Amino acid sequence: MEKWYEAIRKRVSVRKYSDSVTRDELLDLKEAAQYLSTDDVRIVVGKKDGIFDAIIGKTISGTDTFAAIISRGNESDYMVGSVGEAFVLECTAMGYGTCWLGLSYNKALAKSFIRLNEGEKLRCMISIGRYEMQPSHKRTRKTIYNLTGLDDEAFKKLPDWQKCAIECGRLAPSARNAQPWEFDVMTDSMQIACVSKNFGYGGIDCGIAMLHIEIGAAHCGVYGDWQVEDRLPLFTVDYNLEA
Ligand SMILES: Cc1cc2nc3c(=O)[nH]c(=O)nc-3n(C[C@H](O)[C@H](O)[C@H](O)COP(=O)(O)O)c2cc1C
């Protein structure tokens, strides 16, 4: 997970690419996609001209390489977000730029090209490519206080794993940068509450933040499991401090 921790700290959305990926690089990406796919969420990597020509205009340029994030049944949106973000962080660690896309792609073309199995849904796309210049936009994020209700003094007193988990969760990407979550910090656990549907992307956004929190804690040697409570948009993670 350590390479994903580094990836969290350096990743920003890349929308202008200098190049797509070569055929050999595509094979590496397909291997990573296969490795990270689960029974619930399938990642399909491919190249297609015009894939980023969206109805709302063309936001992505310079690449035709994509990863489609496909849900396979009734799994939660959180799982979609976590699996997709694991792939984004792996791409970042491999040196590629990426951008999560809910809208900025040609959905009809993607659906006809990918061939979905029965019950599957195309949830999001991720653009992938080489880039020369780090995008100049700042990663504007909610303050720690807005996220947790903790002031500077209280935050400083937290154990390292919780500080690290919060900082990583804070850097999670979300649709429209809405950051539709709040973090609740307890003695040996943390909860994340989804506070907005964010035009249908709220659950996916929260799944992304959940993975970031887990990676931040793991960086400090603390591991745990997420539990979803009664289908409410509220999650609890318990970390075994002896782990
Ligand atoms: C689920 C999801 C959907 C997104 N959809 C789009 C999109 O359609 N077009 C786009 O340009 N960016 C999209 N983004 C990227 C966000 O705008 C971006 O992650 C956010 O502004 C934070 O910036 P950063 O990724 O550089 O940290 C999406 C992000 C997520 C997580």
Side-chain angles (χ1 to χ4, degrees), residues 11-13 15 59 99-104 124 137 139 141 171 173-177 201 204-205 208:
R11 185 215 60 83
V12 287
S13 289
R15 296 183 177 85
T59 313
C99 187
W100 272 93
L101 302 170
L103 292 175
S104 306
C124 279
H137 73 269
R139 291 190 294 185
R141 293 295 190 266
L171 291 176
S174 55
R176 303 164 50 254
N177 201 23
Y201 297 106
I204 295 178
D205 293 335
I208 295 172

PDB file of all heavy atoms in Angstrom, residues 11-13 15 59 99-104 124 137 139 141 171 173-177 201 204-205 208, ligand 1:
ATOM      1  N   ARG A  11      -1.110  12.707  -6.656  1.00  0.00           N
ATOM      2  CA  ARG A  11      -2.123  12.673  -7.713  1.00  0.00           C
ATOM      3  C   ARG A  11      -2.941  13.957  -7.812  1.00  0.00           C
ATOM      4  O   ARG A  11      -3.351  14.521  -6.816  1.00  0.00           O
ATOM      5  CB  ARG A  11      -3.090  11.499  -7.455  1.00  0.00           C
ATOM      6  CG  ARG A  11      -4.123  11.264  -8.540  1.00  0.00           C
ATOM      7  CD  ARG A  11      -5.435  10.785  -7.956  1.00  0.00           C
ATOM      8  NE  ARG A  11      -5.981  11.772  -7.032  1.00  0.00           N
ATOM      9  CZ  ARG A  11      -6.691  12.835  -7.404  1.00  0.00           C
ATOM     10  NH1 ARG A  11      -6.985  13.037  -8.653  1.00  0.00           N
ATOM     11  NH2 ARG A  11      -7.110  13.699  -6.484  1.00  0.00           N
ATOM     12  N   VAL A  12      -3.114  14.457  -9.021  1.00  0.00           N
ATOM     13  CA  VAL A  12      -4.153  15.455  -9.313  1.00  0.00           C
ATOM     14  C   VAL A  12      -4.803  15.017 -10.616  1.00  0.00           C
ATOM     15  O   VAL A  12      -4.193  14.266 -11.375  1.00  0.00           O
ATOM     16  CB  VAL A  12      -3.608  16.904  -9.516  1.00  0.00           C
ATOM     17  CG1 VAL A  12      -3.173  17.537  -8.228  1.00  0.00           C
ATOM     18  CG2 VAL A  12      -2.511  16.942 -10.543  1.00  0.00           C
ATOM     19  N   SER A  13      -6.000  15.472 -10.882  1.00  0.00           N
ATOM     20  CA  SER A  13      -6.660  15.100 -12.141  1.00  0.00           C
ATOM     21  C   SER A  13      -5.909  15.715 -13.318  1.00  0.00           C
ATOM     22  O   SER A  13      -5.617  16.913 -13.310  1.00  0.00           O
ATOM     23  CB  SER A  13      -8.105  15.595 -12.152  1.00  0.00           C
ATOM     24  OG  SER A  13      -8.872  14.845 -11.243  1.00  0.00           O
ATOM     25  N   ARG A  15      -6.197  16.487 -17.306  1.00  0.00           N
ATOM     26  CA  ARG A  15      -7.193  16.557 -18.393  1.00  0.00           C
ATOM     27  C   ARG A  15      -6.554  16.797 -19.761  1.00  0.00           C
ATOM     28  O   ARG A  15      -7.150  16.525 -20.769  1.00  0.00           O
ATOM     29  CB  ARG A  15      -8.237  17.630 -18.079  1.00  0.00           C
ATOM     30  CG  ARG A  15      -9.067  17.294 -16.829  1.00  0.00           C
ATOM     31  CD  ARG A  15     -10.153  18.313 -16.547  1.00  0.00           C
ATOM     32  NE  ARG A  15     -10.964  17.916 -15.399  1.00  0.00           N
ATOM     33  CZ  ARG A  15     -10.662  18.172 -14.129  1.00  0.00           C
ATOM     34  NH1 ARG A  15      -9.562  18.833 -13.823  1.00  0.00           N
ATOM     35  NH2 ARG A  15     -11.459  17.757 -13.158  1.00  0.00           N
ATOM     36  N   THR A  59     -13.531  17.750 -22.613  1.00  0.00           N
ATOM     37  CA  THR A  59     -12.720  18.186 -21.479  1.00  0.00           C
ATOM     38  C   THR A  59     -11.354  17.498 -21.498  1.00  0.00           C
ATOM     39  O   THR A  59     -10.368  18.053 -21.025  1.00  0.00           O
ATOM     40  CB  THR A  59     -13.435  17.794 -20.155  1.00  0.00           C
ATOM     41  OG1 THR A  59     -14.797  18.169 -20.260  1.00  0.00           O
ATOM     42  CG2 THR A  59     -12.823  18.472 -18.961  1.00  0.00           C
ATOM     43  N   CYS A  99      -7.890  10.880 -14.826  1.00  0.00           N
ATOM     44  CA  CYS A  99      -9.005  11.703 -14.319  1.00  0.00           C
ATOM     45  C   CYS A  99     -10.261  10.831 -14.258  1.00  0.00           C
ATOM     46  O   CYS A  99     -10.610  10.178 -15.243  1.00  0.00           O
ATOM     47  CB  CYS A  99      -9.238  12.906 -15.240  1.00  0.00           C
ATOM     48  SG  CYS A  99     -10.463  14.078 -14.596  1.00  0.00           S
ATOM     49  N   TRP A 100     -10.889  10.801 -13.112  1.00  0.00           N
ATOM     50  CA  TRP A 100     -12.203  10.148 -12.975  1.00  0.00           C
ATOM     51  C   TRP A 100     -13.197  10.917 -13.850  1.00  0.00           C
ATOM     52  O   TRP A 100     -13.198  12.163 -13.840  1.00  0.00           O
ATOM     53  CB  TRP A 100     -12.707  10.258 -11.539  1.00  0.00           C
ATOM     54  CG  TRP A 100     -12.301   9.202 -10.580  1.00  0.00           C
ATOM     55  CD1 TRP A 100     -11.227   9.229  -9.756  1.00  0.00           C
ATOM     56  CD2 TRP A 100     -13.018   7.977 -10.295  1.00  0.00           C
ATOM     57  NE1 TRP A 100     -11.217   8.094  -8.975  1.00  0.00           N
ATOM     58  CE2 TRP A 100     -12.292   7.321  -9.287  1.00  0.00           C
ATOM     59  CE3 TRP A 100     -14.181   7.385 -10.799  1.00  0.00           C
ATOM     60  CZ2 TRP A 100     -12.702   6.088  -8.763  1.00  0.00           C
ATOM     61  CZ3 TRP A 100     -14.581   6.168 -10.285  1.00  0.00           C
ATOM     62  CH2 TRP A 100     -13.853   5.529  -9.278  1.00  0.00           C
ATOM     63  N   LEU A 101     -14.081  10.224 -14.530  1.00  0.00           N
ATOM     64  CA  LEU A 101     -15.072  10.908 -15.372  1.00  0.00           C
ATOM     65  C   LEU A 101     -16.455  10.300 -15.188  1.00  0.00           C
ATOM     66  O   LEU A 101     -16.659   9.105 -15.443  1.00  0.00           O
ATOM     67  CB  LEU A 101     -14.665  10.795 -16.852  1.00  0.00           C
ATOM     68  CG  LEU A 101     -13.282  11.353 -17.210  1.00  0.00           C
ATOM     69  CD1 LEU A 101     -12.905  10.973 -18.624  1.00  0.00           C
ATOM     70  CD2 LEU A 101     -13.250  12.863 -17.020  1.00  0.00           C
ATOM     71  N   GLY A 102     -17.384  11.143 -14.741  1.00  0.00           N
ATOM     72  CA  GLY A 102     -18.780  10.710 -14.670  1.00  0.00           C
ATOM     73  C   GLY A 102     -19.532  11.127 -15.920  1.00  0.00           C
ATOM     74  O   GLY A 102     -20.444  10.445 -16.374  1.00  0.00           O
ATOM     75  N   LEU A 103     -19.126  12.269 -16.483  1.00  0.00           N
ATOM     76  CA  LEU A 103     -19.852  12.841 -17.618  1.00  0.00           C
ATOM     77  C   LEU A 103     -18.996  13.081 -18.855  1.00  0.00           C
ATOM     78  O   LEU A 103     -19.508  13.002 -19.979  1.00  0.00           O
ATOM     79  CB  LEU A 103     -20.461  14.199 -17.203  1.00  0.00           C
ATOM     80  CG  LEU A 103     -21.589  14.179 -16.178  1.00  0.00           C
ATOM     81  CD1 LEU A 103     -21.976  15.606 -15.817  1.00  0.00           C
ATOM     82  CD2 LEU A 103     -22.796  13.410 -16.702  1.00  0.00           C
ATOM     83  N   SER A 104     -17.724  13.397 -18.661  1.00  0.00           N
ATOM     84  CA  SER A 104     -16.902  13.891 -19.781  1.00  0.00           C
ATOM     85  C   SER A 104     -16.398  12.781 -20.701  1.00  0.00           C
ATOM     86  O   SER A 104     -15.201  12.681 -20.960  1.00  0.00           O
ATOM     87  CB  SER A 104     -15.718  14.687 -19.239  1.00  0.00           C
ATOM     88  OG  SER A 104     -16.139  15.697 -18.370  1.00  0.00           O
ATOM     89  N   CYS A 124     -18.487   4.724 -14.347  1.00  0.00           N
ATOM     90  CA  CYS A 124     -17.607   5.875 -14.595  1.00  0.00           C
ATOM     91  C   CYS A 124     -16.506   5.452 -15.549  1.00  0.00           C
ATOM     92  O   CYS A 124     -16.318   4.255 -15.793  1.00  0.00           O
ATOM     93  CB  CYS A 124     -16.916   6.327 -13.296  1.00  0.00           C
ATOM     94  SG  CYS A 124     -17.919   7.371 -12.223  1.00  0.00           S
ATOM     95  N   HIS A 137      -3.644  23.404 -11.462  1.00  0.00           N
ATOM     96  CA  HIS A 137      -4.724  23.713 -10.509  1.00  0.00           C
ATOM     97  C   HIS A 137      -4.380  23.207  -9.104  1.00  0.00           C
ATOM     98  O   HIS A 137      -3.720  22.201  -8.937  1.00  0.00           O
ATOM     99  CB  HIS A 137      -6.074  23.180 -10.992  1.00  0.00           C
ATOM    100  CG  HIS A 137      -6.234  21.680 -10.888  1.00  0.00           C
ATOM    101  ND1 HIS A 137      -5.908  20.820 -11.902  1.00  0.00           N
ATOM    102  CD2 HIS A 137      -6.704  20.903  -9.893  1.00  0.00           C
ATOM    103  CE1 HIS A 137      -6.168  19.582 -11.541  1.00  0.00           C
ATOM    104  NE2 HIS A 137      -6.650  19.595 -10.318  1.00  0.00           N
ATOM    105  N   ARG A 139      -5.230  21.711  -5.359  1.00  0.00           N
ATOM    106  CA  ARG A 139      -6.216  20.770  -4.823  1.00  0.00           C
ATOM    107  C   ARG A 139      -6.938  21.449  -3.673  1.00  0.00           C
ATOM    108  O   ARG A 139      -6.533  21.333  -2.528  1.00  0.00           O
ATOM    109  CB  ARG A 139      -5.520  19.499  -4.353  1.00  0.00           C
ATOM    110  CG  ARG A 139      -4.977  18.689  -5.507  1.00  0.00           C
ATOM    111  CD  ARG A 139      -4.515  17.341  -5.052  1.00  0.00           C
ATOM    112  NE  ARG A 139      -3.378  17.418  -4.172  1.00  0.00           N
ATOM    113  CZ  ARG A 139      -2.727  16.355  -3.712  1.00  0.00           C
ATOM    114  NH1 ARG A 139      -3.129  15.159  -4.029  1.00  0.00           N
ATOM    115  NH2 ARG A 139      -1.693  16.485  -2.916  1.00  0.00           N
ATOM    116  N   ARG A 141      -9.407  21.866  -0.858  1.00  0.00           N
ATOM    117  CA  ARG A 141     -10.111  20.888  -0.034  1.00  0.00           C
ATOM    118  C   ARG A 141     -10.691  21.567   1.201  1.00  0.00           C
ATOM    119  O   ARG A 141     -10.209  22.608   1.646  1.00  0.00           O
ATOM    120  CB  ARG A 141      -9.146  19.784   0.427  1.00  0.00           C
ATOM    121  CG  ARG A 141      -8.610  18.890  -0.694  1.00  0.00           C
ATOM    122  CD  ARG A 141      -9.705  18.065  -1.344  1.00  0.00           C
ATOM    123  NE  ARG A 141      -9.199  17.050  -2.237  1.00  0.00           N
ATOM    124  CZ  ARG A 141      -9.046  17.201  -3.553  1.00  0.00           C
ATOM    125  NH1 ARG A 141      -9.362  18.332  -4.133  1.00  0.00           N
ATOM    126  NH2 ARG A 141      -8.596  16.211  -4.292  1.00  0.00           N
ATOM    127  N   LEU A 171      -7.627  14.333   0.839  1.00  0.00           N
ATOM    128  CA  LEU A 171      -7.108  14.520  -0.527  1.00  0.00           C
ATOM    129  C   LEU A 171      -7.890  13.719  -1.573  1.00  0.00           C
ATOM    130  O   LEU A 171      -7.563  13.758  -2.760  1.00  0.00           O
ATOM    131  CB  LEU A 171      -5.625  14.113  -0.580  1.00  0.00           C
ATOM    132  CG  LEU A 171      -4.664  15.022   0.176  1.00  0.00           C
ATOM    133  CD1 LEU A 171      -3.245  14.463   0.120  1.00  0.00           C
ATOM    134  CD2 LEU A 171      -4.702  16.443  -0.395  1.00  0.00           C
ATOM    135  N   PRO A 173     -10.276  12.538  -4.424  1.00  0.00           N
ATOM    136  CA  PRO A 173     -11.019  13.249  -5.460  1.00  0.00           C
ATOM    137  C   PRO A 173     -12.512  12.954  -5.340  1.00  0.00           C
ATOM    138  O   PRO A 173     -12.900  11.908  -4.828  1.00  0.00           O
ATOM    139  CB  PRO A 173     -10.458  12.658  -6.765  1.00  0.00           C
ATOM    140  CG  PRO A 173     -10.002  11.289  -6.405  1.00  0.00           C
ATOM    141  CD  PRO A 173      -9.563  11.351  -4.961  1.00  0.00           C
ATOM    142  N   SER A 174     -13.333  13.869  -5.793  1.00  0.00           N
ATOM    143  CA  SER A 174     -14.786  13.652  -5.784  1.00  0.00           C
ATOM    144  C   SER A 174     -15.385  14.397  -6.963  1.00  0.00           C
ATOM    145  O   SER A 174     -14.787  15.362  -7.455  1.00  0.00           O
ATOM    146  CB  SER A 174     -15.399  14.170  -4.473  1.00  0.00           C
ATOM    147  OG  SER A 174     -15.050  15.533  -4.269  1.00  0.00           O
ATOM    148  N   ALA A 175     -16.543  13.943  -7.429  1.00  0.00           N
ATOM    149  CA  ALA A 175     -17.203  14.600  -8.560  1.00  0.00           C
ATOM    150  C   ALA A 175     -17.461  16.064  -8.197  1.00  0.00           C
ATOM    151  O   ALA A 175     -17.954  16.359  -7.101  1.00  0.00           O
ATOM    152  CB  ALA A 175     -18.508  13.883  -8.885  1.00  0.00           C
ATOM    153  N   ARG A 176     -17.108  16.970  -9.098  1.00  0.00           N
ATOM    154  CA  ARG A 176     -17.263  18.418  -8.902  1.00  0.00           C
ATOM    155  C   ARG A 176     -16.505  18.914  -7.660  1.00  0.00           C
ATOM    156  O   ARG A 176     -16.796  19.960  -7.130  1.00  0.00           O
ATOM    157  CB  ARG A 176     -18.752  18.795  -8.790  1.00  0.00           C
ATOM    158  CG  ARG A 176     -19.593  18.367  -9.989  1.00  0.00           C
ATOM    159  CD  ARG A 176     -21.090  18.389  -9.736  1.00  0.00           C
ATOM    160  NE  ARG A 176     -21.553  19.631  -9.158  1.00  0.00           N
ATOM    161  CZ  ARG A 176     -21.925  19.767  -7.890  1.00  0.00           C
ATOM    162  NH1 ARG A 176     -21.917  18.731  -7.076  1.00  0.00           N
ATOM    163  NH2 ARG A 176     -22.322  20.925  -7.446  1.00  0.00           N
ATOM    164  N   ASN A 177     -15.574  18.122  -7.202  1.00  0.00           N
ATOM    165  CA  ASN A 177     -14.812  18.437  -5.977  1.00  0.00           C
ATOM    166  C   ASN A 177     -15.744  18.773  -4.804  1.00  0.00           C
ATOM    167  O   ASN A 177     -15.422  19.595  -3.954  1.00  0.00           O
ATOM    168  CB  ASN A 177     -13.835  19.601  -6.225  1.00  0.00           C
ATOM    169  CG  ASN A 177     -12.713  19.642  -5.209  1.00  0.00           C
ATOM    170  OD1 ASN A 177     -12.390  18.627  -4.586  1.00  0.00           O
ATOM    171  ND2 ASN A 177     -12.132  20.811  -5.008  1.00  0.00           N
ATOM    172  N   TYR A 201     -23.264  10.747  -7.529  1.00  0.00           N
ATOM    173  CA  TYR A 201     -21.881  10.273  -7.373  1.00  0.00           C
ATOM    174  C   TYR A 201     -21.438  10.211  -5.904  1.00  0.00           C
ATOM    175  O   TYR A 201     -20.301   9.834  -5.620  1.00  0.00           O
ATOM    176  CB  TYR A 201     -20.906  11.174  -8.148  1.00  0.00           C
ATOM    177  CG  TYR A 201     -21.163  11.152  -9.636  1.00  0.00           C
ATOM    178  CD1 TYR A 201     -21.758  12.232 -10.280  1.00  0.00           C
ATOM    179  CD2 TYR A 201     -20.847  10.030 -10.398  1.00  0.00           C
ATOM    180  CE1 TYR A 201     -22.031  12.199 -11.636  1.00  0.00           C
ATOM    181  CE2 TYR A 201     -21.110   9.985 -11.756  1.00  0.00           C
ATOM    182  CZ  TYR A 201     -21.695  11.072 -12.368  1.00  0.00           C
ATOM    183  OH  TYR A 201     -21.968  11.024 -13.710  1.00  0.00           O
ATOM    184  N   ILE A 204     -20.030   6.830  -4.642  1.00  0.00           N
ATOM    185  CA  ILE A 204     -18.725   6.541  -5.263  1.00  0.00           C
ATOM    186  C   ILE A 204     -17.657   7.434  -4.625  1.00  0.00           C
ATOM    187  O   ILE A 204     -16.575   6.974  -4.256  1.00  0.00           O
ATOM    188  CB  ILE A 204     -18.792   6.757  -6.799  1.00  0.00           C
ATOM    189  CG1 ILE A 204     -19.750   5.730  -7.422  1.00  0.00           C
ATOM    190  CG2 ILE A 204     -17.403   6.662  -7.431  1.00  0.00           C
ATOM    191  CD1 ILE A 204     -19.944   5.856  -8.925  1.00  0.00           C
ATOM    192  N   ASP A 205     -17.975   8.718  -4.466  1.00  0.00           N
ATOM    193  CA  ASP A 205     -17.033   9.650  -3.816  1.00  0.00           C
ATOM    194  C   ASP A 205     -16.618   9.121  -2.436  1.00  0.00           C
ATOM    195  O   ASP A 205     -15.437   9.134  -2.081  1.00  0.00           O
ATOM    196  CB  ASP A 205     -17.682  11.031  -3.614  1.00  0.00           C
ATOM    197  CG  ASP A 205     -17.969  11.757  -4.923  1.00  0.00           C
ATOM    198  OD1 ASP A 205     -17.299  11.474  -5.931  1.00  0.00           O
ATOM    199  OD2 ASP A 205     -18.872  12.623  -4.920  1.00  0.00           O
ATOM    200  N   ILE A 208     -14.221   6.280  -2.508  1.00  0.00           N
ATOM    201  CA  ILE A 208     -12.858   6.745  -2.802  1.00  0.00           C
ATOM    202  C   ILE A 208     -12.189   7.218  -1.508  1.00  0.00           C
ATOM    203  O   ILE A 208     -11.056   6.847  -1.197  1.00  0.00           O
ATOM    204  CB  ILE A 208     -12.900   7.891  -3.845  1.00  0.00           C
ATOM    205  CG1 ILE A 208     -13.432   7.379  -5.188  1.00  0.00           C
ATOM    206  CG2 ILE A 208     -11.516   8.505  -4.015  1.00  0.00           C
ATOM    207  CD1 ILE A 208     -13.692   8.474  -6.222  1.00  0.00           C
TER     208      ILE A 208
HETATM  209  C1  LIG B   1     -16.971  10.163  -9.416  1.00  0.00           C
HETATM  210  C2  LIG B   1     -16.224  11.303 -10.093  1.00  0.00           C
HETATM  211  C3  LIG B   1     -16.691  11.825 -11.289  1.00  0.00           C
HETATM  212  C4  LIG B   1     -15.972  12.842 -11.933  1.00  0.00           C
HETATM  213  N1  LIG B   1     -16.414  13.304 -13.159  1.00  0.00           N
HETATM  214  C5  LIG B   1     -15.701  14.257 -13.823  1.00  0.00           C
HETATM  215  C6  LIG B   1     -16.110  14.672 -15.126  1.00  0.00           C
HETATM  216  O1  LIG B   1     -17.095  14.198 -15.690  1.00  0.00           O
HETATM  217  N2  LIG B   1     -15.337  15.615 -15.760  1.00  0.00           N
HETATM  218  C7  LIG B   1     -14.205  16.145 -15.179  1.00  0.00           C
HETATM  219  O2  LIG B   1     -13.547  16.985 -15.821  1.00  0.00           O
HETATM  220  N3  LIG B   1     -13.804  15.770 -13.932  1.00  0.00           N
HETATM  221  C8  LIG B   1     -14.511  14.824 -13.254  1.00  0.00           C
HETATM  222  N4  LIG B   1     -14.091  14.399 -12.009  1.00  0.00           N
HETATM  223  C9  LIG B   1     -12.836  14.914 -11.424  1.00  0.00           C
HETATM  224  C10 LIG B   1     -13.098  15.920 -10.299  1.00  0.00           C
HETATM  225  O3  LIG B   1     -13.569  17.134 -10.836  1.00  0.00           O
HETATM  226  C11 LIG B   1     -11.789  16.119  -9.499  1.00  0.00           C
HETATM  227  O4  LIG B   1     -11.419  14.895  -8.923  1.00  0.00           O
HETATM  228  C12 LIG B   1     -11.984  17.153  -8.396  1.00  0.00           C
HETATM  229  O5  LIG B   1     -12.213  18.436  -8.937  1.00  0.00           O
HETATM  230  C13 LIG B   1     -10.758  17.238  -7.472  1.00  0.00           C
HETATM  231  O6  LIG B   1      -9.595  17.600  -8.173  1.00  0.00           O
HETATM  232  P1  LIG B   1      -8.309  16.653  -8.183  1.00  0.00           P
HETATM  233  O7  LIG B   1      -8.741  15.299  -8.727  1.00  0.00           O
HETATM  234  O8  LIG B   1      -7.315  17.302  -9.088  1.00  0.00           O
HETATM  235  O9  LIG B   1      -7.808  16.497  -6.784  1.00  0.00           O
HETATM  236  C14 LIG B   1     -14.791  13.387 -11.342  1.00  0.00           C
HETATM  237  C15 LIG B   1     -14.351  12.869 -10.116  1.00  0.00           C
HETATM  238  C16 LIG B   1     -15.044  11.824  -9.494  1.00  0.00           C
HETATM  239  C17 LIG B   1     -14.523  11.260  -8.218  1.00  0.00           C
END
